Amino acid sequence: MLKITDTTSRHSRAEDNLIFDPGFLLFIRGKYSIKDIKAVDPIKIQDKFKLKGFTFGNFVTQAERYFFVYKIEKQLELLAKLKGSNNLGFGKLIIGFGADGKGGSLAHFNPSTLFINLNRGRKLDYKGILQGENSFVHEYGHYIDFLQGRKEKFYQNFASEGLTIDYKTRKPILRGSAKAQTFQKFTAIGTSNLNYMKGLLDYTNATYLRSNIEVLARLFEATISRIAHTTHKDYQRFFDDQYSGKWYLSHDQIDKSNAKTLAKQMLKV
């Protein structure tokens, strides 16, 4: 497991020697503070939120590592506030940046290693750095869905997989414990919406997009972002709110459902 370490001097702190090139400074200007970025302490963050650790790819610069941890810390802070507890990683979760990228994806969750990796994006101009600012929250939705699913007795890996929809009545059919059913009720906000599910058929990866697992994760990231931009505005700059296309339910659809309440309950896995 890689950690942010001092690679410049045995007698100075790594953050005192961070080099921010002009492109990176332009990227963060007006939105993030260099002072705040330098102040992050990855070990304290790891301990506070009960993470197993952070890991980084070989081509991720020291400045980018600090920036990544800074943003992840703020997203973890909001999740912890909503949960009412700092125990988000359960001592099992590893978070990576540019460490295990997959082509065509912004991030992925590996259930076998309980590892969330966010792809670094484009190397030269920083336009792709942490592209999709809610990718971590999306993958964290997969993480808690998986943790709950493995506790159940219906022999499926994710709690959301226990959900089926009666396509005549559009009503959800739930399975498993009350906790698992919370995940399924949340997923059903999307899967029982006929127009939303039909819209996903326009994409070549429709089968994946329409799966319970992916519907839950996209609704979870959109819901947490909506919370950040409505009732926790101190965090809104750490959560993208520019959803477009048919992949996500609209703000209005989220606000009129009980998605926010269910999302908070899911965090208490």
Side-chain angles (χ1 to χ4, degrees):
M1 178 177 65
L2 300 178
K3 296 180 179 178
I4 297 179
T5 56
D6 184 351
T7 58
T8 55
S9 169
R10 294 181 61 186
H11 305 291
S12 63
R13 302 180 307 163
E15 59 268 29
D16 292 333
N17 297 280
L18 291 178
I19 298 175
F20 294 88
D21 66 44
F24 192 78
L25 290 173
L26 182 63
F27 169 66
I28 67 174
R29 186 176 65 185
K31 193 172 183 181
Y32 305 108
S33 161
I34 291 179
K35 180 180 179 180
D36 290 342
I37 293 171
K38 286 185 175 183
V40 302
D41 186 327
I43 301 302
K44 287 184 178 179
I45 295 167
Q46 174 181 315
D47 293 343
K48 178 179 179 179
F49 297 109
K50 305 298 187 291
L51 306 175
K52 190 173 182 179
F54 292 102
T55 185
F56 303 90
N58 293 331
F59 297 101
V60 179
T61 69
Q62 197 81 320
E64 292 165 7
R65 293 182 185 199
Y66 270 78
F67 174 69
F68 166 78
V69 175
Y70 167 67
K71 290 195 69 177
I72 289 298
E73 178 185 21
K74 297 302 181 183
Q75 295 185 350
L76 288 168
E77 277 184 8
L78 179 57
L79 291 176
K81 285 179 183 292
L82 299 177
K83 179 176 182 176
S85 167
N86 287 332
N87 188 9
L88 295 173
F90 305 98
K92 303 174 182 179
L93 180 62
I94 301 170
I95 303 174
F97 180 45
D100 187 26
K102 293 185 177 181
S105 65
L106 300 178
H108 72 274
F109 166 61
N110 186 332
S112 64
T113 56
L114 299 180
F115 173 54
I116 290 174
N117 180 72
L118 277 72
N119 289 356
R120 184 194 178 283
R122 296 172 62 182
K123 180 68 177 175
L124 297 178
D125 58 12
Y126 297 103
K127 288 183 179 178
I129 288 277
L130 291 183
Q131 53 183 322
E133 297 200 10
N134 300 337
S135 293
F136 169 70
V137 178
H138 178 111
E139 303 306 330
Y140 189 79
H142 284 314
Y143 176 61
I144 57 176
D145 188 18
F146 177 77
L147 291 183
Q148 186 60 45
R150 298 299 289 170
K151 297 177 182 179
E152 299 300 320
K153 296 181 180 179
F154 48 75
Y155 304 109
Q156 288 168 298
N157 286 326
F158 293 80
S160 60
E161 289 184 289
L163 170 71
T164 55
I165 297 291
D166 184 321
Y167 287 98
K168 291 184 178 180
T169 65
R170 305 305 302 168
K171 292 182 178 180
I173 301 171
L174 310 176
R175 298 171 60 199
S177 69
K179 187 65 178 183
Q181 290 184 21
T182 298
F183 283 77
Q184 293 162 21
K185 290 174 184 177
F186 183 80
T187 306
I189 293 172
T191 57
S192 62
N193 186 315
L194 188 58
N195 289 334
Y196 173 63
M197 295 299 284
K198 280 186 175 180
L200 295 177
L201 290 171
D202 293 340
Y203 298 97
T204 56
N205 58 341
T207 300
Y208 168 70
L209 293 176
R210 287 162 55 92
S211 68
N212 288 355
I213 296 171
E214 186 59 17
V215 169
L216 177 141
R218 277 181 284 114
L219 180 57
F220 184 73
E221 67 172 293
T223 300
I224 299 300
S225 175
R226 188 66 182 146
I227 291 172
H229 284 263
T230 54
T231 57
H232 288 73
K233 294 185 178 181
D234 288 347
Y235 291 92
Q236 62 183 347
R237 63 196 174 106
F238 301 104
F239 292 87
D240 188 6
D241 196 38
Q242 298 179 356
Y243 291 106
S244 61
K246 301 175 182 178
W247 285 33
Y248 297 92
L249 291 176
S250 69
H251 290 164
D252 188 56
Q253 290 171 318
I254 290 173
D255 290 343
K256 289 182 177 179
S257 72
N258 60 344
K260 295 176 184 177
T261 298
L262 291 172
K264 294 175 185 178
Q265 292 174 359
M266 287 161 50
L267 283 166
K268 298 177 182 179
V269 62

